[in-house]
Amino acid sequence: MKFAIFVFSDPKAGEEALGRLFNALATAYDFKQRNVEVAIYFQGTGTRWAGVVGNADHPVHGLYKAVEDKVAGVSCGCADVFGAREDAIKNGFELLTGNDVPGTSGLPSIGALTADGFTVLTF
């Protein structure tokens, strides 16, 4: 089994968004502890988390650090649209461009992930 976890929640949206991120990271942690292949993707407004999760005083920082090695990266096109590219680059996130969507700099390819046997979970 292989899982791709996509985080779409916007850190500007308050507790509900934080809860989604927390549960996405906790799910990744659970899979990691079970030695199940898992990768975390930040897409849409979720790309804004690239500027937040690295802050040591953030409530999810410890959990993020526990699964940081499972982060595939952020959607390049979404980071462009939602103003997260600079933070993503500054904080060492890979910009993902496998899906060459016209008019964008590219997004992760969910099609390629599912073709490779990944189950996609969204938060």
Side-chain angles (χ1 to χ4, degrees):
M1 295 186 348
K2 301 190 285 189
F3 293 91
I5 296 175
F6 279 77
V7 178
F8 290 98
S9 70
D10 186 346
K12 295 180 180 184
E15 287 183 340
E16 193 269 341
L18 177 59
R20 286 177 177 272
L21 174 67
F22 177 80
N23 281 283
L25 298 178
T27 300
Y29 181 80
D30 188 18
F31 287 139
K32 179 179 176 178
Q33 296 307 301
R34 297 169 184 273
N35 294 313
V36 173
E37 188 172 348
V38 63
I40 304 165
Y41 297 80
F42 293 93
Q43 191 156 326
T45 56
T47 57
R48 293 177 178 153
W49 287 110
V52 177
V53 293
N55 298 336
D57 61 342
H58 194 276
V60 300
H61 179 73
L63 179 55
Y64 169 74
K65 293 304 280 184
V67 295
E68 183 177 27
D69 61 320
K70 300 301 180 184
V71 174
V74 302
S75 167
C76 187
C78 294
D80 289 342
V81 169
F82 297 106
R85 180 187 266 263
E86 186 177 317
D87 281 340
I89 292 169
K90 179 177 76 175
N91 292 311
F93 286 83
E94 184 173 344
L95 297 173
L96 305 172
T97 61
N99 182 5
D100 190 20
V101 176
T104 74
S105 54
L107 286 75
S109 177
I110 294 175
L113 286 166
T114 58
D116 193 29
F118 280 85
T119 298
V120 176
L121 304 176
T122 61
F123 290 84

